Amino acid sequence: MARDHIEFIQAQLIPWRVLPPTTARPGVEMRMLSRDPEIGASSLLLRYPKGFAINEPHYLDNDEEFFVLDGELEIGRTRYGKGSYAYLPDGYPRPRMATPDGALVLTFFEGKHKNVFGGAKDFRKDLLVEKIDTTTAAWAGIVDPKVKGGGLRKIMLREDAKTGERTWILRMGANDPKKVTHSQLEIHPFVEEMLLLDGSISMSIGVLHQGAYFWRPGGVQHGPVGTIPGCTCFFRCKGGPFSTDWTKESYPIDYNAPYDPTLPPDLKAIARPLGAPQPIA
């Protein structure tokens, strides 16, 4: 069973839950964005309290990918401040882990997982992305004549040479709604997952503000898309390489469409539009 189609929920509306002592992050607050019920893979917001620490050497028995939204996370001697990214494979050694002043971290686990204390395990070094500081990384320009308005820039964070799966940050320039009135629809063959880091996005299903999240299965036609202030998005493509097919026809962009999401029942019960931006935390 695959994950539910989620498009879209404001993460601010998902309640925080404290993780129990039996988990890999005991005492940390969690917002569950989405989860695969079969393999246990999950996308989460984790809010680490001030003074959190796991001081014993250990490793996690599954891959962990994360992006620090606020605060600072320490793993061994590596410090991950706001805007830091990492992909740490199953078995990657962690002499210690701590958040002296707390941290808010967008986190992805590739399956069920636990801390394994003592000993060591080989890990796939080809998967390791130990750290990227996106606050100093260079943005690459994207030339795509189908994208209207202020254009696109991206930071590629990860690309799996075997599966084609990738993770990246995308920045979209601002649109003038009087000039950018139409756009084509798009389709991607594999899962596209996104958390909106700042700005807003206008779609036919509503206006996404900072903290908006979606998990979109492959083959779902979507759009047209516009952004009046511009935006920055954290993206993942899962299941295969990322590509885009565009419709030949263009469709009018509704910059103020009513909220009409596709959500599973548990999220639909709490979902509502945000009239203005709110902090993700």
Side-chain angles (χ1 to χ4, degrees):
M1 180 179 177
R3 299 193 205 193
D4 292 312
H5 183 182
I6 296 172
E7 193 162 7
F8 63 95
I9 181 76
Q10 291 289 156
Q12 296 93 327
L13 304 176
I14 300 173
W16 290 105
R17 289 172 44 204
V18 178
L19 292 169
T22 54
T23 63
R25 304 286 189 272
V28 172
E29 291 181 287
M30 173 200 72
R31 277 177 170 154
M32 178 69 73
L33 300 174
S34 66
R35 185 176 184 274
D36 186 313
E38 288 188 354
I39 65 172
S42 55
S43 302
L44 317 162
L45 286 173
L46 296 180
R47 188 162 65 182
Y48 291 84
K50 182 177 180 179
F52 172 85
I54 301 175
N55 290 314
E56 299 175 64
H58 66 285
Y59 65 83
L60 197 73
D61 65 349
N62 215 311
D63 296 359
E64 178 182 10
E65 183 174 19
F66 64 82
F67 181 75
V68 179
L69 298 173
D70 199 16
E72 186 175 83
L73 174 68
E74 299 176 0
I75 298 179
R77 295 184 178 180
T78 305
R79 294 186 176 183
Y80 300 91
K82 183 177 180 179
S84 294
Y85 168 86
Y87 191 101
L88 306 182
D90 175 357
Y92 177 81
R94 305 169 188 236
R96 66 185 296 271
M97 181 177 179
T99 57
D101 296 311
L104 178 65
V105 185
L106 175 63
T107 305
F108 309 91
F109 295 110
E110 297 297 343
K112 297 176 182 177
H113 55 278
K114 63 182 182 299
N115 295 327
V116 179
F117 295 94
K121 179 181 179 180
D122 290 336
F123 65 91
R124 288 187 55 185
K125 294 180 175 60
D126 61 308
L127 293 181
L128 175 65
V129 181
E130 199 154 41
K131 180 181 176 181
I132 295 175
D133 183 352
T134 66
T135 65
T136 58
W139 290 85
I142 303 174
V143 178
D144 190 335
K146 297 180 180 64
V147 176
K148 311 297 182 184
L152 303 175
R153 290 185 293 161
K154 73 176 177 182
I155 299 173
M156 185 63 73
L157 300 173
R158 171 181 178 264
E159 188 164 16
D160 190 308
K162 293 182 178 179
T163 66
E165 294 183 345
R166 64 171 64 169
T167 303
W168 69 103
I169 293 179
L170 184 72
R171 183 168 286 170
M172 301 172 61
N175 296 156
D176 181 343
K178 295 181 180 179
K179 296 179 180 179
V180 181
T181 60
H182 289 68
S183 181
Q184 293 156 284
L185 306 183
E186 49 190 301
I187 302 174
H188 313 298
F190 299 102
V191 168
E192 185 181 33
E193 181 178 21
M194 187 213 73
L195 183 77
L196 186 57
L197 301 178
D198 63 43
S200 67
I201 300 174
S202 297
M203 297 179 64
S204 60
I205 57 172
V207 180
L208 292 74
H209 291 285
Q210 179 186 39
Y213 171 81
F214 66 68
W215 172 277
R216 181 188 298 129
V220 175
Q221 191 176 75
H222 54 282
V225 175
T227 172
I228 293 176
C231 63
T232 308
C233 314
F234 185 98
F235 275 103
R236 297 204 308 161
C237 175
K238 301 297 293 179
F242 181 82
S243 63
T244 304
D245 291 324
W246 298 86
T247 59
K248 293 181 180 180
E249 302 82 6
S250 292
Y251 297 84
I253 301 171
D254 188 343
Y255 284 95
N256 197 31
Y259 185 45
D260 185 23
T262 298
L263 296 171
D266 61 322
L267 292 182
K268 199 165 187 176
I270 62 172
R272 61 177 174 81
L274 292 185
Q278 295 180 14
I280 298 176

